[in-house]
């Protein structure tokens, strides 16, 4: 398979676009692999890519029960940021930000990473104080952060309600200029193609239905396409983490599955050129390259594995949007959809070995795992290959919940739906 390049595009233009090959192969499962990753979402595919690229493993498979991009990687609102305050999170997500900045070149696929910045709005003096604290912590960790006054916010976001009649007036905001968005499908497709080019077998329509575990050590998996042997199996199935782990006897995880919705408007002319989050309700907005306003909000509020949501949350998100920017009042909504979130007890992820030898867990991404895709795959690949975490993910172990070392960025306690 050839690399994508300007020359290839030119060649295609001159030859009727007939020379393009499939982006990745569709192989039959082999009997045995050096490592198997369960879940062909962003995290599973990134893990397989970095295992092959950085750890010299050649016989790797990714088992995906559906099609690539059918899970959360293709359903999210694509916000990328590293504006964390706690030390463990800050270093991990900033490592991810640096990988994002090189990603399109690295995997030879345009993931449309757009560093348009993100602005978190503040609506009270207390919120401004909290943002000053977070911004200072970020800067101490070498991460870009700017505290914006109300007038500076107005320069970036003139469409907000500054009339003096707003229910929640804007006081200012915290900006991360290097934050932004990426094209979610391209991230899945790009990692898949890059991994495939390094020999990784991507097995779609291959649901994992059981594990072969003997004497506390994993020997392989059972799938809808037959049994496959391997002494190393990584689980990266996001909202299905509890279900898949239960098949391996890990029955009580510090994770609850919730649903989160997103929605998109009809296409508009350029309206907003940054990512903006409301500080007085759960609402955030950006504009896609096709022109649609992409809105997100809070969880639906009950546990479920279903990839569909309900209308009350759509109404709530749009009410928040109207409170913030009444100008959107006559815009029509085109579509809304949901994904299943693996909400952890402290709001931080798990990238870890497990009590079963050779079985590794990547989960607990809550609703912020898209931005973590490169760093998560990078750290999980290290954990799977070396049988121990990297320095960047050594805090994100499964046993931290037993040890009481919680990484609670929001400080809301062990209530998964609040993180
Ligand atoms: C509406 C919405 C908005 C979001 N917005 C953002 C955002 O703006 N920024 C951000 O950072 N994050 C966001 N997220 C969160 C982010 O999308 C997820 O945290 C992240 O994508 C999860 O990792 P993944 O890509 O590997 O998951 P997925 O794409 O869900 O991959 C997991 C895969 O595992 C497969 N699987 C499950 N069970 C099995 C099995 N038994 N056998 C084989 N395969 C199996 C599934 O089919 C799925 O394809 C959002 C999520 C949603 C739903």
């Amino acid at each position: 398979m050839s690399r994508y390049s300007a020359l290839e595009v030119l060649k295609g233009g001159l030859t009727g676009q007939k020379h393009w090959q499939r982006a990745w192969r569709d192989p039959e499962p082999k009997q045995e692999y050096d490592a198997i990753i369960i879940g062909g979402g962003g995290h599973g595919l990134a893990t397989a890519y970095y295992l092959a690229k950085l750890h010299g493993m050649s016989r790797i498979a990714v088992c995906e029960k559906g099609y690539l991009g059918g899970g959360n990687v293709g359903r999210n609102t694509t916000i990328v940021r590293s504006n964390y305050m706690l030390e463990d999170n800050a270093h991990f997500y900033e490592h991810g930000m640096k990988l994002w900045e090189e990603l399109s070149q690295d995997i030879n696929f345009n993931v449309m990473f757009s560093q348009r910045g993100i602005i978190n709005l503040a609506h009270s003096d207390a919120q401004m104080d909290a943002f000053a604290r977070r911004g200072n912590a970020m800067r101490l960790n070498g991460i870009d952060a700017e505290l914006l006054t109300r007038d500076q916010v107005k320069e970036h976001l003139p469409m907000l309600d500054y009339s003096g009649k707003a229910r929640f007036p804007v006081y200012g905001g915290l900006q991360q200029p290097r934050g932004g968005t990426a094209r979610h499908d391209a991230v899945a497709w790009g990692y898949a193609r890059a991994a495939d080019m390094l020999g990784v077998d991507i097995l779609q329509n291959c649901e994992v239905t059981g594990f072969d575990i003997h004497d506390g050590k994993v020997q392989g998996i059972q799938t809808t396409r037959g049994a496959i042997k391997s002494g190393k199996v990584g689980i990266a199935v996001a909202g299905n983490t509890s279900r898949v782990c239960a098949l391996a006897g890990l029955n009580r995880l510090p994770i609850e599955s919730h649903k989160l919705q997103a929605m998109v408007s009809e296409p508009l002319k350029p309206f907003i050129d940054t990512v903006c989050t409301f500080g007085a309700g759960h609402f955030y907005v950006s504009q896609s390259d096709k022109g649609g306003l992409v809105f997100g909000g809070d969880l639906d509020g009950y546990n479920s594995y279903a990839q569909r949501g309900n209308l009350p949350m759509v109404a709530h998100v749009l009410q928040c949007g109207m409170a913030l920017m009444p100008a959107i009042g006559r815009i029509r909504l085109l579509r809304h959809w949901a994904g299943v979130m693996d909400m952890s007890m402290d709001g931080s992820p798990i990238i870890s070995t497990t009590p079963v030898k050779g079985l590794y867990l990547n989960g607990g991404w809550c609703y912020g795992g898209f931005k973590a895709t490169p760093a998560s795959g990078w750290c999980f690949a290290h954990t799977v290959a070396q049988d121990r975490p990297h320095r960047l993910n050594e805090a994100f172990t499964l046993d931290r919940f037993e040890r009481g070392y919680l990484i609670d960025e929001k400080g809301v306690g062990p209530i998964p739906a609040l993180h």
Side-chain angles (χ1 to χ4, degrees), residues 38-43 63-65 71-73 75-79 206-208 236-238 240 244 260-262 339 341 365-371:
I38 307 174
H43 293 230
C63 295
E64 164 54 47
K65 76 171 174 184
N72 294 336
V73 69
R75 291 168 180 265
N76 67 80
T77 43
T78 77
I79 300 170
C206 183
E207 179 171 356
V208 173
V237 294
N240 284 287
V244 173
L260 180 70
Q261 299 191 63
M341 305 293 89
W365 290 103
C366 302
Y367 38 65
F370 177 69
K371 64 178 174 294

Side-chain angles (χ1 to χ4, degrees), residues 37-46 62-81 84 93 100 180-181 184 187-188 203 205-211 221-224 235-241 243-244 247 258-263 275 284 286 294-297 307 337-342 362-373 376:
I37 304 300
I38 307 174
H43 293 230
L45 293 165
V62 175
C63 295
E64 164 54 47
K65 76 171 174 184
Y67 61 93
L68 295 193
N72 294 336
V73 69
R75 291 168 180 265
N76 67 80
T77 43
T78 77
I79 300 170
V80 175
R81 57 188 175 87
Y84 283 80
Y93 285 103
W100 276 110
T181 59
H184 44 16
V187 174
L203 310 171
N205 299 312
C206 183
E207 179 171 356
V208 173
T209 53
F211 289 84
I221 54 171
Q222 301 291 328
T223 80
T224 46
I235 300 172
V237 294
N240 284 287
T241 301
R243 295 214 277 202
V244 173
L247 299 173
H258 283 263
K259 57 184 68 196
L260 180 70
Q261 299 191 63
M263 52 222 79
V275 179
Y284 45 92
S286 65
V294 182
F295 303 120
Q307 287 194 141
W337 62 90
V340 190
M341 305 293 89
D342 37 334
N362 174 316
W365 290 103
C366 302
Y367 38 65
F370 177 69
K371 64 178 174 294
T373 305
S376 162

Side-chain angles (χ1 to χ4, degrees), residues 86 343-348 366-367 406-419:
L86 300 184
M343 305 296 297
S344 67
M345 289 288 158
D346 61 0
S348 294
C366 302
Y367 38 65
L406 301 187
I407 310 168
D408 185 349
E409 183 81 26
K410 282 197 184 164
V412 293
I415 303 161
L418 294 184
H419 285 291

Side-chain angles (χ1 to χ4, degrees), residues 89-276:
N89 281 332
H91 294 305
F92 173 78
Y93 285 103
E94 180 57 14
H95 177 64
M97 183 64 85
K98 292 193 174 120
L99 292 173
W100 276 110
E101 287 170 340
E102 307 277 315
L103 191 60
S104 292
Q105 288 74 21
D106 182 23
I107 61 177
N108 183 229
F109 203 102
N110 185 4
V111 298
M112 297 165 74
F113 182 45
S114 158
Q115 289 181 294
R116 59 185 69 182
I118 175 166
I119 298 177
N120 305 124
L121 296 173
H123 306 272
S124 66
D125 288 330
Q127 230 170 358
M128 282 300 281
D129 286 349
F131 280 169
R133 183 168 170 242
R134 174 142 60 111
N136 283 332
M138 287 167 62
R139 290 173 85 129
L140 287 171
N141 277 320
I143 303 170
D144 57 320
E146 302 284 338
L147 197 63
L148 304 181
T149 62
R150 184 178 187 274
D151 286 344
Q152 287 170 317
V153 170
K154 197 171 176 182
E155 275 171 36
H156 289 284
L157 297 165
M159 76 295 286
L160 304 186
D161 186 354
Y162 302 96
S163 66
K165 294 183 195 142
R167 173 77 180 83
F168 301 102
V170 174
Y171 276 51
L174 181 64
Q175 182 188 37
Q176 185 183 19
R178 284 160 66 242
T181 59
R183 161 91 196 184
H184 44 16
D185 296 318
V187 174
W189 299 333
Y191 270 122
R193 185 168 191 273
D196 177 90
M197 283 180 87
L198 294 173
V200 173
D201 281 357
I202 296 167
L203 310 171
Q204 298 182 76
N205 299 312
C206 183
E207 179 171 356
V208 173
T209 53
F211 289 84
D212 297 325
I213 296 170
H214 299 290
D215 297 331
K217 185 171 182 340
V218 76
Q219 316 274 330
I221 54 171
Q222 301 291 328
T223 80
T224 46
R225 294 177 70 177
I228 311 176
K229 288 189 202 153
S230 182
K232 283 181 183 285
V233 178
I235 300 172
V237 294
N240 284 287
T241 301
S242 322
R243 295 214 277 202
V244 173
C245 283
L247 299 173
L250 304 176
N251 287 312
R252 294 202 58 198
L253 291 183
I255 286 179
E256 279 183 13
S257 286
H258 283 263
K259 57 184 68 196
L260 180 70
Q261 299 191 63
M263 52 222 79
V264 67
S265 77
E266 60 189 333
L268 306 176
K269 289 187 176 170
F271 179 73
I272 176 168
D273 64 359
T274 185
V275 179
C276 169

